[in-house]
């Protein structure tokens, strides 16, 4: 069974701190990795994608990928209460037709 | 902006009913997906389609079928609804890559 693992949390950080969200995956052949944010009662929205080892920055968000360790992370700098949500890690499992496998998500709480 | 629209936000159906969940996207995307989301289990793929009239089973297709007669519309059908199909159902679409844009979700309750 190909899996994507995330700590369910909640991860609690104070406003202004760095939030670090982690994800591991089982399929070494995976090539594409995504982070989605899901507010309570809402549908997921894509916030970051990463395809190569290293860091990718977009505003306050940084995605980090280490394929050798099968590890992908999302850093949120200067966390805001509006960042409080569940963050879903998704991995493209290469099985002929590319499709995403999602982790169960990490709930982030940013306190004022 | 990509818009993926699901026909209902909330649905309550009786056990044994045939249930249709409709999804429409307005960006001419090739690929469309149906997921269900349950606490502790995350998002699980039910079916997907990469072209009109084409469909592929996802990880949990049992008890479901799909229809894609037009590129913009992808329907999920519960042939005989059961209580274990009570869930949040999410439709998504993408063009080429696996990046998916989601609809607002349909919360289905089967009683």
């Amino acid at each position: 069974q190909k899996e994507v693992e995330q700590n369910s949390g909640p991860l609690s950080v104070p406003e202004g701190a760095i939030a670090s969200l982690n994800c591991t995956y089982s399929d070494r052949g995976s090539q594409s990795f995504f982070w989605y944010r899901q507010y309570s009662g809402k549908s997921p929205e894509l916030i970051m994608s990463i395809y190569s080892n290293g860091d990718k920055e977009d505003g306050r968000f940084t995605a980090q990928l280490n394929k050798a360790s099968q590890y992908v992370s999302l850093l949120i700098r200067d966390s805001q209460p509006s960042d409080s949500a569940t963050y879903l890690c998704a991995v493209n499992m290469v099985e002929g037709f590319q499709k995403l496998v999602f982790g169960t998500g990490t709930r982030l709480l940013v306190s004022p | 902006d990509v818009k993926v629209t699901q026909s209902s936000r909330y649905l309550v159906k009786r056990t044994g009913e045939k249930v249709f969940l409709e999804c429409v996207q307005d960006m001419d995307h090739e690929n469309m997906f149906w997921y269900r989301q349950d606490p502790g289990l995350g998002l699980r793929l039910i079916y997907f389609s990469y072209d009109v009239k084409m469909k592929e089973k996802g990880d949990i297709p049992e008890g479901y079928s799909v229809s894609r007669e037009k590129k913009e519309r992808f329907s999920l059908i519960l042939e005989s609804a059961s209580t274990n199909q009570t869930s949040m159902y999410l439709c998504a679409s993408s063009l080429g890559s696996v990046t998916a844009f989601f609809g607002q979700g349909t919360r289905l309750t089967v009683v």
Side-chain angles (χ1 to χ4, degrees):
Chain A
Q1 180 72 22
K2 297 179 179 177
E3 294 182 347
V4 178
E5 301 279 352
Q6 293 181 258
N7 188 316
S8 61
L11 173 65
S12 295
V13 300
E15 184 174 358
I18 296 174
S20 178
L21 304 161
N22 303 315
C23 172
T24 59
Y25 59 95
S26 61
D27 183 11
R28 285 195 169 274
S30 299
Q31 297 294 319
S32 309
F33 307 86
F34 306 88
W35 284 98
Y36 291 80
R37 177 177 62 201
Q38 186 174 25
Y39 292 113
S40 180
K42 303 293 186 182
S43 57
E45 57 177 325
L46 179 69
I47 55 172
M48 289 288 289
S49 59
I50 187 165
Y51 305 94
S52 305
N53 277 331
D55 294 0
K56 179 182 177 182
E57 187 173 319
D58 184 1
R60 295 188 295 113
F61 298 97
T62 299
Q64 299 175 317
L65 175 60
N66 184 325
K67 289 185 179 179
S69 300
Q70 295 175 242
Y71 178 93
V72 59
S73 64
L74 179 71
L75 302 178
I76 306 174
R77 290 182 300 281
D78 189 23
S79 295
Q80 301 296 310
S82 59
D83 294 326
S84 298
T86 297
Y87 289 80
L88 304 173
C89 174
V91 178
N92 167 26
M93 301 290 181
V94 181
E95 294 180 340
F97 181 82
Q98 296 182 339
K99 64 182 179 74
L100 293 174
V101 176
F102 285 84
T104 53
T106 298
R107 187 174 170 216
L108 174 65
L109 297 175
V110 181
S111 54
Chain B
D1 283 350
V2 174
K3 191 159 186 180
V4 181
T5 304
Q6 295 181 228
S7 53
S8 302
R9 189 76 176 92
Y10 300 95
L11 273 179
V12 180
K13 296 292 181 180
R14 296 194 179 275
T15 301
E17 276 193 78
K18 191 169 186 177
V19 181
F20 294 86
L21 303 182
E22 306 286 344
C23 176
V24 177
Q25 50 96 2
D26 65 358
M27 288 300 292
D28 202 34
H29 283 176
E30 299 166 345
N31 309 319
M32 297 189 75
F33 308 81
W34 274 107
Y35 294 89
R36 64 177 283 178
Q37 187 174 30
D38 301 287
L41 297 176
L43 276 158
R44 293 179 292 167
L45 182 64
I46 304 171
Y47 267 97
F48 60 95
S49 169
Y50 51 88
D51 201 353
V52 175
K53 297 190 184 295
M54 305 301 290
K55 59 185 180 183
E56 294 287 342
K57 293 180 179 179
D59 299 318
I60 51 164
E62 296 78 18
Y64 304 94
S65 62
V66 290
S67 172
R68 194 166 180 201
E69 296 296 319
K70 294 184 178 181
K71 192 173 186 178
E72 67 270 20
R73 185 180 298 271
F74 192 35
S75 302
L76 179 70
I77 304 155
L78 285 66
E79 298 290 344
S80 177
S82 63
T83 54
N84 63 12
Q85 292 179 309
T86 292
S87 187
M88 171 68 83
Y89 289 87
L90 290 160
C91 175
S93 73
S94 69
L95 179 65
S97 74
V98 294
T99 305
F101 299 90
F102 286 88
Q104 78 275 27
T106 297
R107 185 164 292 282
L108 173 67
T109 301
V110 183
V111 297

